[in-house]
Amino acid sequence: MVSFSQAHREPVEEVETTVWACTSDACNGWMREEFSFSKDPTCPLCQSEMKKETRVLPVIE
Ligand SMILES: [Zn+2]
């Protein structure tokens, strides 16, 4: 059974994207790597270290 959200009735294209994710368990901060101008960014919300990970995100035109 496919849920509504998995059915992708809206034609939203998604792609694997490299992001910086906050290392703090209490924080959900993250940013797209392409929008970060630092090689070693800190979280804009809590100033924790950030680590690279891959997420599937909608394509930005
Ligand atoms: Zn954070």
Side-chain angles (χ1 to χ4, degrees), residues 22 27 43 46:
C22 182
C27 177
C43 178
C46 71

Side-chain angles (χ1 to χ4, degrees), residues 22-24 26-30 43-50:
C22 182
T23 56
S24 171
C27 177
N28 289 322
W30 64 275
C43 178
L45 302 180
C46 71
Q47 275 69 55
S48 294
E49 289 182 18
M50 304 190 87

Side-chain angles (χ1 to χ4, degrees), residues 1-14:
M1 189 163 182
V2 179
S3 76
F4 181 80
S5 64
Q6 289 171 332
H8 286 299
R9 290 166 185 270
E10 299 287 320
V12 177
E13 193 176 348
E14 296 185 324

Side-chain angles (χ1 to χ4, degrees), residues 7-61:
H8 286 299
R9 290 166 185 270
E10 299 287 320
V12 177
E13 193 176 348
E14 296 185 324
V15 66
E16 286 199 349
T17 307
T18 303
V19 300
W20 288 102
C22 182
T23 56
S24 171
D25 290 338
C27 177
N28 289 322
W30 64 275
M31 66 177 110
R32 290 171 187 261
E33 182 188 36
E34 64 198 89
F35 293 157
S36 170
F37 299 105
S38 170
K39 287 177 110 177
D40 195 13
T42 54
C43 178
L45 302 180
C46 71
Q47 275 69 55
S48 294
E49 289 182 18
M50 304 190 87
K51 67 174 176 9
K52 277 188 184 179
E53 64 179 50
T54 302
R55 296 186 182 188
V56 177
L57 298 172
V59 172
I60 293 180
E61 299 293 338

